Amino acid sequence: RRDLETLRQNVRANGVCNSTINHYQAHLRAILAWGVDQELIAINPWQSFKRLPVQRTEITVSYDDVKKVYLAAVPWLQWAIKTAYCLCLRPGKVELFNLKWTAFNWNGKFVRIKQGKSGHYKTVVPPTPYMAEARARYEEDLANGIEFVCHRNGLQVKSYKRPWQKAVKAADVKIRFYDIRHLAASEMLANGADLAAVAAQMGHASIAMTGQYYAHVMAGAQAKAAQALPLM
């Protein structure tokens, strides 16, 4: 157990944030729990370790910031940005750039997506204009034998960082690709969307998680709701 604690301290000394350390810790605990289950070890020495505190970062990116980056991006990246925004996706090879056209239900007008963080599936109902554009792209990709929704000349995108950084620099804004997912939730809540519906779009395990992340947005929505309340 002392060795495990030393490992955690060494990782922290290398500048790794608490959130990432918690992920490492969860994996280690799962491995040790498997060891107990297989009777390879008598006890899980890290079973009682608590997660390190994580401070939530308030997302301040605006729609205008994302629009500037979008306009500065190359065409394939523009479509990826729009897809991440409309489907509330995490960037990278697990969710956004692993999404295939088979996930789209054209009759039901929804998209079934396996989340990279939890491995669970979520069902997203995209905006109607997005689905119309996606259907046109699907027909074209189908004719060319392309299975990925967001691709680069028909090939799966392995890395987006350089094109993204180039677009961000040209737009002269400070923003991460991941912030687009947060912006989608913020915009839906700010425009009066139901908290439970936004939680479903994001793939959150509970509305409490959504409320915790976007309390600052919900405060504005509450103010709007208060103004709509008729007085005696």
Side-chain angles (χ1 to χ4, degrees):
R1 178 162 180 154
R2 191 182 303 114
D3 289 340
L4 292 171
E5 174 59 22
T6 300
L7 172 65
R8 188 163 73 171
Q9 290 175 352
N10 289 339
V11 172
R12 189 188 294 114
N14 289 331
V16 178
C17 68
N18 282 1
S19 178
T20 301
I21 294 175
N22 285 336
H23 285 302
Y24 293 164
Q25 180 174 307
H27 290 311
L28 284 170
R29 288 178 66 179
I31 292 169
L32 292 168
W34 175 84
V36 173
D37 183 66
Q38 298 298 312
E39 298 183 352
L40 300 174
I41 56 177
I43 61 171
N44 183 343
W46 234 9
Q47 181 59 41
S48 62
F49 266 38
K50 296 181 179 179
R51 292 168 57 87
L52 294 172
V54 177
Q55 181 158 353
R56 303 295 183 189
T57 302
E58 185 173 318
I59 307 301
T60 58
V61 64
S62 70
Y63 177 83
D64 289 339
D65 289 338
V66 174
K67 190 65 178 290
K68 289 177 183 177
V69 176
Y70 174 84
L71 293 174
V74 292
W76 70 264
L77 185 56
Q78 286 185 335
W79 174 242
I81 291 172
K82 186 180 292 187
T83 298
Y85 180 70
C86 293
L87 302 185
C88 308
L89 293 180
R90 298 175 179 88
K93 292 184 290 185
V94 177
E95 282 192 15
L96 178 60
F97 295 116
N98 193 45
L99 183 66
K100 297 180 180 179
W101 286 117
T102 51
F104 283 68
N105 186 310
W106 303 110
N107 292 329
K109 299 180 180 179
F110 64 82
V111 185
R112 185 77 169 158
I113 302 165
K114 184 176 182 180
Q115 300 182 88
K117 194 171 183 178
S118 65
H120 298 151
Y121 281 88
K122 71 171 183 177
T123 299
V124 179
V125 180
T128 301
Y130 173 83
M131 282 297 276
E133 182 177 355
R135 184 60 187 261
R137 287 176 176 270
Y138 163 72
E139 298 291 349
E140 183 178 347
D141 285 349
L142 184 65
N144 293 311
I146 300 171
E147 61 178 343
F148 293 103
V149 177
C150 298
H151 55 84
R152 193 173 187 177
N153 298 323
L155 301 176
Q156 184 180 20
V157 178
K158 300 296 184 181
S159 177
Y160 63 86
K161 292 184 178 179
R162 186 171 295 179
W164 171 260
Q165 291 169 352
K166 186 176 180 180
V168 167
K169 184 177 180 181
D172 193 27
V173 297
K174 188 176 181 181
I175 180 178
R176 306 172 304 166
F177 204 151
Y178 199 100
D179 293 339
I180 294 175
R181 169 179 159 86
H182 290 297
L183 176 66
S186 297
E187 288 294 313
M188 286 187 286
L189 288 169
N191 286 286
D194 180 75
L195 182 60
V198 175
Q201 294 282 89
M202 297 293 286
H204 287 164
S206 67
I207 60 174
M209 181 183 296
T210 311
Q212 182 181 17
Y213 272 104
Y214 302 100
H216 61 292
V217 180
M218 292 173 61
Q222 284 180 283
K224 284 184 179 179
Q227 298 307 315
L229 189 66
L231 298 179
M232 298 295 183

